Structure formats: C-alpha cells, structure tokens
Amino acid sequence: MLNYVFISPVYPVTCTLFCDGLNRMGVTVLGIGDTPYNNLSEQLKNALHEYYYVSTLEEYDQVYRAVAYYIHKYGRIDWLESMNEYWLRMDAKLRTDFNIAVGTREDKIGEIVRKSEMKKKFLEAGIPTARQDIVSDLNSAREFISKVGYPVIVKPDIGVGANGAEKIETEEELEAFYSDLPYAPYVMEEFLSGDICTYDAIIDGNCEPLFESMCTYPPVIDSVANDENIHFYTSPFMPDQLRELGRKTVKAFGADRRFVHFEFIHLAKDYEGIGKAGDYAIMEVNMRPAGGHDPDMMNYAHSADVFMIYAEMVVAGRRLMPDLEMPYYCAYAARKDGHSFTHTHYEIMDRYWEQIVLQEEMPPIDWPSMGRYVYMAKFTEKEDMDGFFRYVLE
C-alpha cells in the first residue's frame, strides 16, 4: 500500500477532493496541517488515514517531526505533495531530507519557483517567451526598457500567482516603483498583449499526458488594476499549437507524475523573435493544479473526474476509467461590489437554472482577483456561453 503525505490538505479546498480520490484508490493518506482536526470537514476526515496537527506550517522543524513520526509508524513514504505553490520549496526539502523518490528535490526546485530560472529553461528548449531581466535598480530597468519599450511587467522572482505583479507604462510609474521597491528580487518582462490560455495536464511517469485541458482568461493584472468584473472559461478543446507547446514544456522540465498548470499568452499581435498574432508564448510554469474552482471546471468541461484521474496515476501509472465524452464549455462569471448590473440575481437564476452548476459568494480574500458573487455554468455551444457572460455582467 502506498503512503502519501499530504501537506496542508485543508487549503486549497480542492485538496479535500484529491485526498478523497487517493483514499478511494486504497492509498494511505497522511495529512499534516495547521488547522485543528475538529475544524476539518467530515469528507476530509474520512479521506485521511491520520492527521498530524502543527501550530504553523512555517516552522520546518515541526513539519519535519510530523513526517518522521509517520515514517516511524507507517514505514517508507512514497509520495509527498502540498498541491500549493506556496509550499513547493518546503515539499522539495522534505523529499530531499527523507529520500522520497517522487517529486522535485532541492537541487531542482529553483527552476520551478524562480521566474528567472524558468526563463532559462524556456530559452534552452526553444519555447517562445517574452524577454526578461533581473532589474535591481532604476538604471538597469531603464536599460532593459530601452530594448523592449513600454509597457513592462515587474513581478517578484519568487511569487505566487499574480501577487506583487505590476504593469508599468510610463517613466513616472517606473520611478514610483523604484522609490518604494520591496526587499525582494524582481524580474522585468516585456509586455505581451493577449488573453491568457493555460495548459493543464495530469502527467504520468514518462512525462506523457493522461489528461489535458485549456482555460482562457482575460489579462488578470488588468482585471485587478481596473476593478473589472471577472469572466473566464474552460474549453473541452485545445489548439494543436498549445498542446504541442504544453507537452514540450513538460519534457523540458521533466515534469513527471504530477498535475501541472502552465500559463501562455495567446498573442494579439506580432512580436519579433517570439511569434505572430494567434501564436502562443509561455509566461510561467506551475507544478501544481490550477487554483480556485478550475479543477471543478475541468470536470464539467470534459465530463471527467480529474481527482480520480490523478489518483489513478498515483496508484496505477495510467488511466483506468475513460471520459464520458460529453464536452461542454464551462463558464465562470463573477460580479464585484461597486458595480450596477442590469439583471438581478433572481433573473440570472431563472434564465439559466438548467445550465448553472454552482452559485456562491467567494471569501473576501478572493474578491479582488476572483470576484464576489460567482455564477458557474456549462454550455454545449460557445455562442450560448458568450451570451451568458453578457447577461450576468451587463
């Protein structure tokens, strides 16, 4: 029987479903987290073989002792994951210290958490990407901008999602940024115009995909900065070029036996040395599942169960159950506070009650990036989905 240590199984909430899938496949799922056991959901309690509470996951010694306890009680640990970008470096250190075979160790973690190291891998593999530099001061930033022009994107070299990212369009904004630069290494990239398209996949031990999906977003950094309402969708179909680049990226990073979430720009215009309008250029790799409700949206779009596909990969190294082959477009539309809307909540629910698969209020921490009031629905035709977006957000 496989022993699988799951770090922070409470957050993100989809971790509960990953634990449940592993448990149903007969895996011994051993949780370590900073949420008291009594606060765990019943579903998560039932999915875990045992749970070890630590007062904080930020103290490595506490987590180290928890893993050591599990090894003493259950024997060798086969897998250790958090499914959370924030803990990837700790995951790698634990795998190194306890000689856990599956997953990235400390000697390779830099290339999947540092954006500057990712960029080197993209260039080595010939994967189209924006030009980038580590810009430690105003003069080096000006020198880089003289080559690529405005606007540019600045973001922490090590960061989670779009946190800390900023779009700079003028000399005045550049000077303001460097007058209050946080103490952290930052990278600067040329701005590429276009929607964000993701390559999401569950990868087997040979770096081959067992499941692939695509999600399309408008530029997140603009949505947050302009306080725009949120809409994006998961498609059951994927362009050949994106699929090819996604698989090439998997091989370049040796990303085996894991769920991956890669972000590409679908270029809105030509960029010399990168690609033409309609091509794809990679932004960054994430060696964990997409956050939020994205895994649920993949399930609706593909009539699949990504949590079980992942569990099947862990146990059998392959897929055991096929998709139902009923494709849908799964739409996410979320309203923010401070906007007036043409249609009420009740009108939306009355009009789309057959298509809506989820409606909820998001936690306050997610309101800037994910909106407050969420409507998720599925459609067989893209035109109907576009009409849904207009109706909800008008």
Side-chain angles (χ1 to χ4, degrees), residues 105-302:
R105 297 200 190 186
E106 279 191 295
D107 61 337
K108 296 289 186 181
I109 192 63
E111 64 191 32
I112 65 172
V113 298
R114 300 188 71 95
K115 294 176 176 61
S116 57
E117 294 298 314
M118 288 181 202
K119 190 69 65 171
K120 293 176 184 177
K121 298 289 287 187
F122 301 154
L123 296 174
E124 289 171 3
I127 301 167
T129 188
R131 287 172 287 180
Q132 181 199 85
D133 201 2
I134 297 177
V135 285
S136 55
D137 55 48
L138 183 58
N139 287 334
S140 60
R142 284 173 172 155
E143 182 178 350
F144 179 73
I145 293 171
S146 70
K147 301 174 185 175
V148 303
Y150 284 108
V152 292
I153 300 292
V154 287
K155 48 192 175 183
D157 193 16
I158 299 176
V160 179
N163 292 333
E166 191 171 331
K167 186 178 179 181
I168 295 178
E169 303 188 69
T170 65
E171 174 72 14
E172 291 74 23
E173 291 176 357
L174 182 69
E175 292 177 357
F177 175 79
Y178 277 94
S179 69
D180 191 29
L181 181 65
Y183 180 74
Y186 265 69
V187 296
M188 179 175 286
E189 288 190 353
E190 65 180 315
F191 177 78
L192 301 181
S193 178
D195 287 340
I196 298 171
C197 291
T198 69
Y199 174 84
D200 298 280
I202 298 171
I203 307 299
D204 71 9
N206 297 314
C207 292
E208 297 293 339
L210 300 175
F211 170 86
E212 295 171 301
S213 185
M214 179 183 78
C215 193
T216 300
Y217 308 78
V220 176
I221 195 168
D222 290 337
S223 298
V224 174
N226 302 328
D227 194 34
E228 298 169 353
N229 295 302
I230 307 299
H231 73 283
F232 57 89
Y233 67 94
T234 298
S235 171
F237 313 108
M238 183 183 296
D240 290 340
Q241 187 189 42
L242 181 62
R243 179 181 289 105
E244 180 183 341
L245 287 173
R247 293 179 179 183
K248 187 175 184 179
T249 305
V250 167
K251 295 288 179 66
F253 282 82
D256 65 320
R257 292 173 289 182
R258 61 190 315 106
F259 211 133
V260 300
H261 173 65
F262 301 161
E263 298 177 4
F264 290 81
I265 291 287
H266 189 203
L267 299 177
K269 62 180 185 178
D270 296 355
Y271 287 92
E272 185 177 354
I274 299 174
K276 296 185 178 297
D279 288 342
Y280 295 88
I282 196 163
M283 292 173 59
E284 61 183 61
V285 298
N286 300 283
M287 298 301 176
R288 43 82 181 170
H293 287 297
D294 288 31
D296 300 306
M297 294 175 68
M298 295 175 207
N299 286 345
Y300 287 120
H302 296 270

Side-chain angles (χ1 to χ4, degrees), residues 320-333:
L320 302 178
M321 296 294 291
D323 288 350
L324 297 178
E325 297 183 358
M326 295 171 58
Y328 294 93
Y329 292 92
C330 189
Y332 179 106

Side-chain angles (χ1 to χ4, degrees), residues 27-71:
V27 176
T28 300
V29 188
L30 306 168
I32 301 174
D34 54 8
T35 300
Y37 179 78
N38 289 338
N39 292 346
L40 271 57
S41 69
E42 287 303 312
Q43 184 180 16
L44 182 55
K45 288 179 181 178
N46 292 333
L48 296 175
H49 196 84
E50 188 171 345
Y51 181 72
Y52 191 112
Y53 169 73
V54 295
S55 61
T56 174
L57 288 167
E58 298 284 357
E59 290 188 9
Y60 183 76
D61 286 348
Q62 288 195 47
V63 184
Y64 180 94
R65 287 195 296 271
V67 177
Y69 163 78
Y70 280 146
I71 291 175

